[in-house]
Amino acid sequence: MFAAAVLFAFALVVALVARWLKARRLRLPPGPPPDPFIGNLRQMAFTNQEQMFESWGKTYVWAGTRFSATCPTASVPEHRRLIQDHFNQQAILAYRPLQRLETCTLLLGLLQKPEAFIRHVRRFSAGTIMKITYGHTVKSMDELYVRLAEDAAHETVSAGSPGSMLVDFFPALKFLPAWMPGAGFKRHALKTRVKVRRMLDIPFKMVQRTMAAGTAIPSFVSDLIIANESDSKHKQYEEEDIKGAAGVLYGAATDTTSALLISFFLAMTLHPDVLRKAQAEIEEKVGPDRLPDFEDRDSLPYVDSIVKEVYRAMTRSEDMYTDPHTFYPERFMNQDSQTAEMTDPKNVVFGFGRRLCPGKFFGDANIWLVVASVLAAFDITKRRNDRGEEIPPLVDYASGFVSNEAAQVPKLDVSNEGLASMKYDAMGPLVVNSDGTVSRITNWPNMTELERERTMKVLIARNKLRLAKQDADDPSSTPLSMAGSAGEASK
Ligand code: HEM
């Protein structure tokens, strides 16, 4: 025990001195005054860090840069390069059929079980990225590949936000043996490593297996494996890099997308006037017979302003936006092009420079399509209690990796506290036609309750079958020829 204590004390002193020497060399923008040796450790909040950063942002300003505090992060350039090739503005056009299909599945889920909307949204986020990454269709959040990815992500996130542990400040502490008191972070890291390993290996092997059997749906991973096999002497990519880039994609794409979409539902529950205005715009510009599509984006400026405002709600900069705590899409309407560019929250929420989100265009297209489609198909209202009174939604944001880094994850208890109850509008439920297009039942308003109930049963079953059939039969309707390919597959 004595030897362990001496070892610990020695590691701490080495870490402190190394850190102090490094801090002296760095010239950083202003921040809260650091203490000798331990830097900003004392001032760091370990939960709800976004509130701390917001307050620092008001106090420490320098040449347009906000406060600085020392906390290292890491990024693997090889992964980034692979991802960028598959998610640039040209390449993502090939994913549009998949995005439409997944959006349609989301709408059907909402029709069937509106109270489970968080689950539908999470399945959508997982479904789009799993299909692109591994060619795998996600039917439920309980299946193997999703569980593996969710477990690994959960384990990673539960380690705490960046900068919430001593080892974030003193990296030398990672050399402590796992059994030592105070090295709980290391035991957690070892457990996480096992989960991450499984999440990287198991779906990769599935792609190898299906490729060998000739049944693989082309994907990010299969493209890279093929690229490697095309030159037997010189491998273009290390297998570990392919696995790593694929693994990063799930974690980076799912929580961010889900958090933004859930925030959208919350905003619509709280702001029925905004919802109505957007629905009127869709009704006028798109009409009642089809869902909005990517090409409609420019003609739906108010819907686009809602999307921007959902992003903007993640940034609370008082310098950039008046009254930043108010949800107000109108702030983005009728701007000249220069102001529009300067105030576009996409320039902020997807990160900057070397760390710019490589999924920016794909992620934004996903958010837009779901927002526009949900607005076209549903009313979103507050739930009512037995006396018919509206129940105010529970607004509570969990602290964690995503809420600090990219988006905020609402903790919304729909079933008990009541958030949104969605009902059909007069337009009637969606019908998936055999050619993959979507329409509505024209005589829905004239049907009796019983007729509607029966129609729904048949419709839901048939829609599901048609979606599954399209998915299985028509590989060209999924993001197939991905390596360097552009152009949109058939609608
Ligand atoms: C739609 C909402 C999204 C938001 C708000 C968002 C935001 C961000 C931000 C702020 C970063 C930088 C993090 C940092 O500095 O450490 C980032 C990184 C990243 N994002 Fe996104 N993202 C979104 C969606 C996506 C999607 C859909 C994908 C995948 C297709 C994706 C892939 C990535 C990857 C791979 C990184 C890591 C890049 C690196 O470490 O170099 N993101 N994202």
Coordinates of all heavy atoms in Angstrom, one line a residue, residues 296-375:
D296 N -37.8 20.9 -52.7 CA -38.7 22.0 -52.3 C -38.1 22.9 -51.3 O -38.7 23.9 -50.9 CB -39.9 21.3 -51.6 CG -40.8 20.5 -52.5 OD1 -41.1 21.0 -53.6 OD2 -41.0 19.3 -52.2
R297 N -36.9 22.6 -50.9 CA -36.3 23.4 -49.7 C -36.3 24.9 -50.0 O -36.7 25.7 -49.1 CB -34.9 22.9 -49.4 CG -34.3 23.5 -48.1 CD -33.1 22.7 -47.6 NE -32.7 23.2 -46.3 CZ -31.9 22.6 -45.5 NH1 -31.3 21.5 -45.8 NH2 -31.5 23.2 -44.4
D298 N -35.8 25.3 -51.2 CA -35.7 26.7 -51.5 C -37.1 27.4 -51.5 O -37.2 28.6 -51.2 CB -35.0 27.0 -52.8 CG -33.6 26.6 -52.8 OD1 -33.1 26.5 -51.6 OD2 -32.9 26.5 -53.8
S299 N -38.1 26.7 -51.8 CA -39.4 27.3 -51.8 C -40.2 27.3 -50.5 O -41.3 27.6 -50.4 CB -40.3 26.7 -53.0 OG -40.5 25.3 -52.7
L300 N -39.5 26.7 -49.5 CA -40.1 26.7 -48.1 C -39.2 27.4 -47.1 O -38.7 26.8 -46.2 CB -40.3 25.2 -47.7 CG -41.2 24.4 -48.6 CD1 -41.2 22.9 -48.2 CD2 -42.7 24.9 -48.5
P301 N -39.1 28.8 -47.3 CA -38.2 29.5 -46.4 C -38.5 29.4 -44.9 O -37.7 29.4 -44.1 CB -38.2 30.9 -46.9 CG -39.5 31.0 -47.7 CD -39.8 29.7 -48.3
Y302 N -39.8 29.4 -44.6 CA -40.2 29.3 -43.2 C -39.8 28.0 -42.6 O -39.3 28.0 -41.4 CB -41.7 29.6 -43.0 CG -42.0 29.9 -41.5 CD1 -41.5 31.1 -40.9 CD2 -42.7 29.0 -40.8 CE1 -41.8 31.4 -39.6 CE2 -43.0 29.3 -39.4 CZ -42.5 30.5 -38.8 OH -42.7 30.7 -37.5
V303 N -40.0 26.9 -43.3 CA -39.6 25.6 -42.8 C -38.1 25.6 -42.6 O -37.6 25.1 -41.5 CB -40.0 24.5 -43.8 CG1 -39.4 23.1 -43.3 CG2 -41.5 24.4 -43.9
D304 N -37.4 26.2 -43.5 CA -35.9 26.3 -43.4 C -35.5 27.1 -42.1 O -34.6 26.8 -41.4 CB -35.3 26.9 -44.6 CG -33.8 26.4 -44.8 OD1 -33.6 25.2 -44.5 OD2 -33.0 27.2 -45.1
S305 N -36.3 28.2 -41.9 CA -36.0 29.0 -40.7 C -36.3 28.2 -39.4 O -35.5 28.4 -38.4 CB -36.9 30.2 -40.7 OG -36.7 31.0 -41.8
I306 N -37.2 27.3 -39.4 CA -37.5 26.5 -38.2 C -36.2 25.6 -38.0 O -35.7 25.5 -36.9 CB -38.7 25.6 -38.4 CG1 -40.0 26.5 -38.4 CG2 -38.8 24.6 -37.3 CD1 -41.3 25.8 -38.5
V307 N -35.7 25.0 -39.1 CA -34.5 24.1 -39.0 C -33.4 25.0 -38.4 O -32.7 24.5 -37.5 CB -34.2 23.5 -40.3 CG1 -32.9 22.8 -40.3 CG2 -35.3 22.5 -40.8
K308 N -33.2 26.1 -39.0 CA -32.1 27.0 -38.5 C -32.3 27.3 -37.0 O -31.3 27.4 -36.2 CB -32.1 28.3 -39.3 CG -31.4 28.2 -40.6 CD -31.3 29.6 -41.2 CE -30.6 29.6 -42.6 NZ -30.7 30.8 -43.3
E309 N -33.5 27.6 -36.6 CA -33.8 28.0 -35.2 C -33.6 26.8 -34.3 O -33.2 27.0 -33.1 CB -35.2 28.6 -35.1 CG -35.6 29.2 -33.8 CD -34.8 30.4 -33.3 OE1 -33.8 30.7 -34.0 OE2 -35.1 31.0 -32.3
V310 N -33.8 25.6 -34.8 CA -33.5 24.4 -33.9 C -32.0 24.4 -33.7 O -31.6 24.1 -32.6 CB -34.1 23.2 -34.6 CG1 -33.6 21.9 -33.8 CG2 -35.6 23.2 -34.5
Y311 N -31.3 24.6 -34.8 CA -29.8 24.6 -34.6 C -29.4 25.8 -33.7 O -28.6 25.6 -32.8 CB -29.1 24.8 -36.0 CG -29.2 23.7 -37.0 CD1 -29.4 24.0 -38.3 CD2 -28.9 22.4 -36.6 CE1 -29.5 23.0 -39.3 CE2 -28.9 21.4 -37.6 CZ -29.2 21.7 -38.9 OH -29.3 20.7 -39.8
R312 N -30.0 26.9 -34.0 CA -29.6 28.1 -33.3 C -29.8 28.0 -31.8 O -29.1 28.5 -30.9 CB -30.4 29.3 -33.8 CG -29.8 30.7 -33.7 CD -30.1 31.3 -32.4 NE -31.5 31.1 -31.9 CZ -31.9 31.1 -30.6 NH1 -31.0 31.2 -29.7 NH2 -33.1 30.9 -30.3
A313 N -30.9 27.2 -31.4 CA -31.2 27.1 -30.0 C -30.1 26.4 -29.2 O -30.0 26.4 -28.0 CB -32.5 26.3 -29.8
M314 N -29.1 25.8 -30.0 CA -28.0 25.1 -29.3 C -26.9 26.2 -29.0 O -26.1 26.0 -28.2 CB -27.3 24.1 -30.2 CG -28.2 22.9 -30.5 SD -27.3 21.5 -31.1 CE -26.8 22.1 -32.7
T315 N -27.0 27.3 -29.7 CA -26.0 28.4 -29.4 C -26.8 29.5 -28.7 O -27.9 29.8 -29.1 CB -25.4 29.0 -30.6 OG1 -26.3 29.8 -31.2 CG2 -25.0 27.9 -31.6
R316 N -26.3 30.0 -27.7 CA -27.1 31.1 -27.0 C -26.3 32.4 -27.0 O -26.3 33.2 -26.0 CB -27.3 30.7 -25.5 CG -28.1 29.4 -25.4 CD -29.6 29.6 -25.8 NE -30.2 28.3 -26.1 CZ -31.1 27.8 -25.2 NH1 -31.4 28.3 -24.1 NH2 -31.7 26.6 -25.5
S317 N -25.6 32.7 -28.1 CA -24.8 33.9 -28.2 C -25.7 35.1 -28.3 O -26.4 35.3 -29.2 CB -23.9 33.8 -29.4 OG -23.4 35.1 -29.7
E318 N -25.6 36.0 -27.3 CA -26.3 37.2 -27.2 C -25.8 38.2 -28.2 O -26.5 39.2 -28.7 CB -26.3 37.8 -25.8 CG -27.3 37.2 -24.9 CD -27.2 37.5 -23.5 OE1 -26.4 38.5 -23.2 OE2 -27.8 36.8 -22.7
D319 N -24.5 38.1 -28.6 CA -23.9 39.0 -29.6 C -24.5 38.8 -31.0 O -24.7 39.7 -31.7 CB -22.4 38.8 -29.7 CG -21.7 39.0 -28.4 OD1 -22.3 39.6 -27.5 OD2 -20.5 38.5 -28.3
M320 N -24.7 37.5 -31.3 CA -25.2 37.2 -32.6 C -26.7 37.2 -32.8 O -27.2 37.6 -33.8 CB -24.8 35.7 -32.9 CG -23.3 35.5 -33.2 SD -22.9 35.4 -34.9 CE -23.7 33.9 -35.4
Y321 N -27.4 36.9 -31.7 CA -28.9 36.7 -31.8 C -29.6 37.5 -30.7 O -29.3 37.2 -29.5 CB -29.3 35.2 -31.8 CG -28.5 34.4 -32.8 CD1 -27.5 33.5 -32.4 CD2 -28.9 34.4 -34.1 CE1 -26.9 32.7 -33.3 CE2 -28.2 33.6 -35.1 CZ -27.2 32.8 -34.6 OH -26.6 32.0 -35.6
T322 N -30.5 38.3 -31.1 CA -31.3 39.0 -30.1 C -32.2 38.0 -29.3 O -32.7 37.1 -30.0 CB -32.3 40.0 -30.7 OG1 -31.8 40.3 -32.0 CG2 -32.5 41.2 -29.9
D323 N -32.3 38.2 -28.0 CA -33.2 37.3 -27.2 C -32.9 35.8 -27.5 O -33.8 35.1 -28.0 CB -34.6 37.7 -27.6 CG -35.6 37.4 -26.4 OD1 -35.0 36.8 -25.4 OD2 -36.8 37.6 -26.6
P324 N -31.7 35.3 -27.3 CA -31.4 34.0 -27.7 C -32.1 32.9 -27.0 O -32.1 31.7 -27.5 CB -29.8 33.9 -27.4 CG -29.6 34.9 -26.4 CD -30.6 36.0 -26.6
H325 N -32.8 33.2 -25.9 CA -33.5 32.1 -25.2 C -34.9 31.9 -25.7 O -35.7 31.1 -25.2 CB -33.5 32.3 -23.7 CG -32.1 32.2 -23.1 ND1 -31.5 31.0 -22.8 CD2 -31.1 33.1 -22.9 CE1 -30.3 31.2 -22.4 NE2 -30.0 32.5 -22.4
T326 N -35.3 32.8 -26.7 CA -36.6 32.6 -27.3 C -36.6 31.9 -28.6 O -35.7 32.2 -29.4 CB -37.2 34.0 -27.5 OG1 -37.2 34.7 -26.3 CG2 -38.7 34.0 -28.0
F327 N -37.5 30.9 -28.8 CA -37.6 30.2 -30.1 C -38.3 31.1 -31.0 O -39.6 31.3 -30.9 CB -38.3 28.9 -29.8 CG -38.2 28.0 -31.0 CD1 -37.2 27.1 -31.2 CD2 -39.3 28.0 -32.0 CE1 -37.1 26.3 -32.3 CE2 -39.2 27.1 -33.1 CZ -38.1 26.3 -33.3
Y328 N -37.6 31.6 -32.1 CA -38.2 32.6 -32.9 C -37.7 32.5 -34.4 O -36.7 33.2 -34.8 CB -37.9 34.0 -32.3 CG -38.5 35.1 -33.1 CD1 -39.8 35.3 -33.2 CD2 -37.6 36.1 -33.6 CE1 -40.3 36.4 -33.9 CE2 -38.1 37.2 -34.2 CZ -39.5 37.3 -34.4 OH -40.0 38.4 -35.1
P329 N -38.2 31.5 -35.2 CA -37.7 31.3 -36.5 C -37.7 32.5 -37.4 O -36.9 32.7 -38.3 CB -38.6 30.2 -37.1 CG -39.4 29.7 -36.0 CD -39.4 30.6 -34.9
E330 N -38.6 33.5 -37.1 CA -38.8 34.7 -37.9 C -37.5 35.5 -38.0 O -37.3 36.2 -38.9 CB -39.9 35.6 -37.4 CG -41.3 35.2 -37.7 CD -41.8 33.9 -36.9 OE1 -41.0 33.5 -36.0 OE2 -42.8 33.4 -37.2
R331 N -36.6 35.2 -37.0 CA -35.3 36.0 -37.0 C -34.5 35.7 -38.3 O -33.6 36.5 -38.7 CB -34.5 35.7 -35.8 CG -33.9 34.3 -35.7 CD -33.0 34.1 -34.5 NE -33.7 33.7 -33.3 CZ -33.6 34.4 -32.2 NH1 -32.9 35.5 -32.1 NH2 -34.3 33.9 -31.1
F332 N -34.8 34.6 -39.0 CA -34.0 34.2 -40.2 C -34.8 34.5 -41.5 O -34.3 34.3 -42.6 CB -33.7 32.7 -40.2 CG -32.8 32.3 -39.0 CD1 -33.3 31.5 -38.0 CD2 -31.5 32.8 -39.0 CE1 -32.4 31.2 -37.0 CE2 -30.6 32.4 -38.0 CZ -31.1 31.6 -37.0
M333 N -36.0 35.1 -41.4 CA -36.8 35.4 -42.6 C -36.3 36.8 -43.1 O -35.9 37.7 -42.4 CB -38.3 35.4 -42.2 CG -38.8 34.1 -41.8 SD -38.8 32.9 -43.2 CE -40.2 33.5 -44.1
N334 N -36.5 36.9 -44.4 CA -36.2 38.1 -45.2 C -34.9 38.8 -44.9 O -34.7 40.0 -44.7 CB -37.3 39.2 -44.8 CG -38.7 38.6 -45.1 OD1 -38.9 37.9 -46.2 ND2 -39.6 38.8 -44.2
Q335 N -33.8 37.9 -44.7 CA -32.5 38.5 -44.5 C -31.8 38.7 -45.9 O -32.1 37.9 -46.8 CB -31.6 37.5 -43.7 CG -32.1 37.3 -42.3 CD -31.2 36.2 -41.6 OE1 -31.0 35.1 -42.2 NE2 -30.7 36.5 -40.5
D336 N -30.9 39.7 -46.0 CA -30.2 39.8 -47.2 C -29.1 38.7 -47.2 O -28.8 38.1 -46.1 CB -29.5 41.2 -47.4 CG -28.6 41.5 -46.3 OD1 -27.5 40.8 -46.1 OD2 -28.9 42.4 -45.4
S337 N -28.5 38.4 -48.3 CA -27.7 37.2 -48.4 C -26.5 37.3 -47.4 O -26.1 36.3 -46.8 CB -27.2 36.9 -49.8 OG -26.5 38.0 -50.3
Q338 N -25.9 38.5 -47.3 CA -24.8 38.6 -46.4 C -25.1 38.4 -44.9 O -24.5 37.6 -44.2 CB -24.2 40.1 -46.5 CG -22.8 40.1 -46.1 CD -22.3 41.6 -46.1 OE1 -23.0 42.5 -46.5 NE2 -21.1 41.8 -45.6
T339 N -26.3 38.9 -44.5 CA -26.7 38.7 -43.1 C -27.1 37.2 -42.9 O -26.7 36.6 -41.9 CB -28.0 39.5 -42.7 OG1 -27.8 40.8 -43.3 CG2 -28.2 39.6 -41.3
A340 N -27.7 36.6 -43.9 CA -28.1 35.2 -43.8 C -26.8 34.4 -43.6 O -26.8 33.5 -42.8 CB -28.8 34.8 -45.1
E341 N -25.8 34.7 -44.4 CA -24.6 33.9 -44.3 C -23.9 34.1 -42.9 O -23.5 33.1 -42.2 CB -23.6 34.3 -45.4 CG -22.2 33.6 -45.4 CD -22.3 32.1 -45.4 OE1 -23.3 31.5 -45.9 OE2 -21.4 31.4 -44.8
M342 N -23.9 35.4 -42.4 CA -23.3 35.7 -41.1 C -24.0 35.0 -39.9 O -23.4 34.7 -39.0 CB -23.2 37.2 -41.0 CG -21.9 37.8 -41.5 SD -22.0 39.5 -41.4 CE -22.4 39.8 -39.7
T343 N -25.3 35.0 -40.1 CA -26.1 34.5 -38.9 C -26.5 33.0 -39.0 O -27.1 32.5 -38.1 CB -27.4 35.3 -38.7 OG1 -28.1 35.2 -39.9 CG2 -27.1 36.8 -38.4
D344 N -26.1 32.4 -40.1 CA -26.5 31.0 -40.3 C -25.9 30.1 -39.2 O -24.6 29.9 -39.1 CB -26.0 30.5 -41.6 CG -26.6 29.1 -42.0 OD1 -27.1 28.4 -41.0 OD2 -26.7 28.7 -43.2
P345 N -26.7 29.5 -38.3 CA -26.1 28.7 -37.2 C -25.4 27.5 -37.6 O -24.6 26.9 -36.9 CB -27.4 28.4 -36.3 CG -28.5 28.6 -37.2 CD -28.2 29.6 -38.2
K346 N -25.6 27.1 -38.9 CA -24.9 25.9 -39.4 C -23.4 26.1 -39.4 O -22.6 25.2 -39.3 CB -25.4 25.5 -40.8 CG -26.8 25.0 -40.8 CD -27.1 24.2 -42.1 CE -27.3 25.1 -43.3 NZ -28.6 25.9 -43.2
N347 N -23.0 27.4 -39.5 CA -21.6 27.7 -39.5 C -21.0 27.5 -38.1 O -19.8 27.6 -37.9 CB -21.4 29.2 -39.9 CG -21.8 29.4 -41.3 OD1 -21.9 28.5 -42.1 ND2 -22.3 30.7 -41.6
V348 N -21.8 27.3 -37.1 CA -21.3 27.2 -35.7 C -21.5 25.8 -35.2 O -20.6 25.1 -34.7 CB -22.0 28.2 -34.8 CG1 -21.6 28.0 -33.4 CG2 -21.8 29.6 -35.3
V349 N -22.8 25.3 -35.4 CA -23.1 24.0 -34.6 C -22.4 22.8 -35.2 O -22.3 21.8 -34.6 CB -24.6 23.8 -34.6 CG1 -25.3 24.9 -33.8 CG2 -25.2 23.6 -35.9
F350 N -21.9 22.9 -36.5 CA -21.2 21.8 -37.0 C -19.7 21.9 -36.8 O -18.9 21.1 -37.4 CB -21.5 21.6 -38.5 CG -22.9 21.1 -38.8 CD1 -23.9 22.0 -39.1 CD2 -23.2 19.8 -38.6 CE1 -25.2 21.5 -39.3 CE2 -24.5 19.3 -38.9 CZ -25.5 20.2 -39.2
G351 N -19.3 22.8 -36.0 CA -17.9 22.9 -35.7 C -17.1 23.7 -36.7 O -17.6 24.3 -37.6
F352 N -15.8 23.8 -36.5 CA -14.9 24.7 -37.3 C -13.6 24.0 -37.7 O -13.2 23.0 -37.1 CB -14.5 25.9 -36.4 CG -15.6 26.6 -35.7 CD1 -16.0 26.2 -34.5 CD2 -16.2 27.6 -36.4 CE1 -17.0 26.9 -33.8 CE2 -17.3 28.3 -35.8 CZ -17.7 27.9 -34.5
G353 N -13.1 24.5 -38.7 CA -11.7 24.2 -39.2 C -11.4 22.7 -39.3 O -12.2 22.0 -39.9
R354 N -10.3 22.3 -38.7 CA -9.9 20.9 -38.7 C -11.0 20.0 -38.1 O -11.0 18.8 -38.4 CB -8.6 20.7 -38.0 CG -7.4 21.1 -38.8 CD -6.1 20.6 -38.1 NE -6.0 21.0 -36.7 CZ -5.6 20.2 -35.7 NH1 -5.2 19.0 -36.0 NH2 -5.5 20.7 -34.5
R355 N -11.8 20.5 -37.2 CA -12.8 19.7 -36.5 C -14.1 19.8 -37.1 O -15.1 19.3 -36.6 CB -12.8 20.0 -35.0 CG -11.5 20.0 -34.3 CD -10.9 18.6 -34.3 NE -11.8 17.6 -33.6 CZ -11.6 16.9 -32.6 NH1 -10.4 17.1 -32.0 NH2 -12.4 16.1 -32.1
L356 N -14.2 20.5 -38.3 CA -15.6 20.6 -38.9 C -16.2 19.3 -39.1 O -15.6 18.3 -39.6 CB -15.4 21.3 -40.2 CG -16.7 21.6 -41.0 CD1 -17.5 22.7 -40.3 CD2 -16.4 22.0 -42.5
C357 N -17.5 19.2 -38.8 CA -18.2 17.9 -38.9 C -18.2 17.4 -40.4 O -18.8 18.1 -41.2 CB -19.7 18.1 -38.4 SG -20.7 16.7 -38.8
P358 N -17.7 16.3 -40.7 CA -17.7 15.8 -42.1 C -19.1 15.4 -42.5 O -19.4 15.2 -43.7 CB -16.7 14.6 -42.1 CG -16.6 14.2 -40.7 CD -16.9 15.4 -39.8
G359 N -20.0 15.2 -41.5 CA -21.4 14.8 -41.9 C -22.3 15.9 -42.0 O -23.5 15.8 -42.0
K360 N -21.8 17.2 -42.1 CA -22.6 18.4 -42.0 C -23.7 18.4 -43.0 O -24.9 18.6 -42.7 CB -21.7 19.6 -42.2 CG -22.4 20.9 -42.3 CD -21.4 22.0 -42.4 CE -22.1 23.4 -42.6 NZ -21.2 24.5 -42.6
F361 N -23.4 18.1 -44.3 CA -24.4 18.2 -45.4 C -25.4 17.1 -45.3 O -26.6 17.3 -45.5 CB -23.7 18.3 -46.7 CG -22.8 19.5 -46.9 CD1 -21.4 19.3 -46.9 CD2 -23.3 20.8 -46.9 CE1 -20.6 20.4 -47.0 CE2 -22.5 21.8 -46.9 CZ -21.1 21.7 -47.0
F362 N -24.9 15.9 -45.0 CA -25.8 14.8 -44.9 C -26.8 15.0 -43.7 O -28.0 14.8 -43.8 CB -25.0 13.5 -44.8 CG -25.9 12.3 -44.5 CD1 -26.6 11.7 -45.5 CD2 -25.9 11.7 -43.2 CE1 -27.4 10.6 -45.2 CE2 -26.6 10.6 -43.0 CZ -27.4 10.0 -43.9
G363 N -26.2 15.3 -42.5 CA -26.9 15.5 -41.3 C -28.0 16.6 -41.5 O -29.2 16.4 -41.1
D364 N -27.6 17.7 -42.1 CA -28.5 18.8 -42.3 C -29.7 18.4 -43.2 O -30.8 18.7 -43.0 CB -27.8 20.0 -42.9 CG -28.7 21.1 -43.3 OD1 -29.5 21.6 -42.4 OD2 -28.7 21.5 -44.4
A365 N -29.3 17.6 -44.3 CA -30.4 17.1 -45.2 C -31.4 16.2 -44.5 O -32.6 16.3 -44.7 CB -29.8 16.4 -46.4
N366 N -30.8 15.4 -43.6 CA -31.7 14.5 -42.8 C -32.7 15.3 -42.0 O -33.9 15.0 -41.9 CB -30.8 13.7 -41.8 CG -30.5 12.3 -42.4 OD1 -31.0 11.9 -43.4 ND2 -29.6 11.6 -41.7
I367 N -32.1 16.2 -41.2 CA -33.0 17.0 -40.3 C -34.0 17.8 -41.1 O -35.2 17.7 -40.8 CB -32.1 18.1 -39.6 CG1 -31.0 17.4 -38.8 CG2 -33.0 19.0 -38.7 CD1 -31.4 16.8 -37.5
W368 N -33.6 18.4 -42.3 CA -34.6 19.1 -43.0 C -35.7 18.2 -43.5 O -36.9 18.6 -43.4 CB -34.0 19.8 -44.2 CG -35.0 20.7 -44.9 CD1 -35.3 21.9 -44.6 CD2 -35.8 20.3 -46.0 NE1 -36.4 22.4 -45.4 CE2 -36.7 21.4 -46.3 CE3 -36.0 19.1 -46.8 CZ2 -37.7 21.3 -47.3 CZ3 -36.9 19.0 -47.8 CH2 -37.8 20.2 -48.0
L369 N -35.4 17.1 -44.1 CA -36.4 16.2 -44.7 C -37.4 15.7 -43.6 O -38.6 15.7 -43.8 CB -35.8 15.0 -45.4 CG -36.8 14.2 -46.2 CD1 -37.3 15.1 -47.4 CD2 -36.2 12.9 -46.8
V370 N -36.9 15.4 -42.4 CA -37.8 14.9 -41.4 C -38.7 16.0 -40.9 O -39.9 15.9 -40.8 CB -37.0 14.3 -40.2 CG1 -37.9 14.0 -39.0 CG2 -36.3 13.0 -40.7
V371 N -38.1 17.2 -40.7 CA -38.9 18.3 -40.2 C -40.0 18.7 -41.2 O -41.2 18.8 -40.8 CB -37.9 19.6 -39.9 CG1 -38.7 20.9 -39.8 CG2 -37.1 19.3 -38.7
A372 N -39.6 18.8 -42.4 CA -40.6 19.2 -43.4 C -41.7 18.1 -43.5 O -42.9 18.4 -43.6 CB -39.9 19.4 -44.8
S373 N -41.3 16.8 -43.5 CA -42.3 15.8 -43.7 C -43.2 15.7 -42.5 O -44.4 15.5 -42.6 CB -41.6 14.4 -43.9 OG -40.7 14.5 -44.9
V374 N -42.7 15.8 -41.3 CA -43.5 15.7 -40.1 C -44.5 16.9 -40.1 O -45.7 16.7 -39.8 CB -42.6 15.7 -38.8 CG1 -43.5 15.9 -37.5 CG2 -41.9 14.4 -38.7
L375 N -44.0 18.1 -40.4 CA -44.9 19.2 -40.4 C -46.0 19.0 -41.4 O -47.2 19.4 -41.2 CB -44.1 20.5 -40.8 CG -43.2 21.1 -39.7 CD1 -42.2 22.1 -40.3 CD2 -44.0 21.6 -38.6

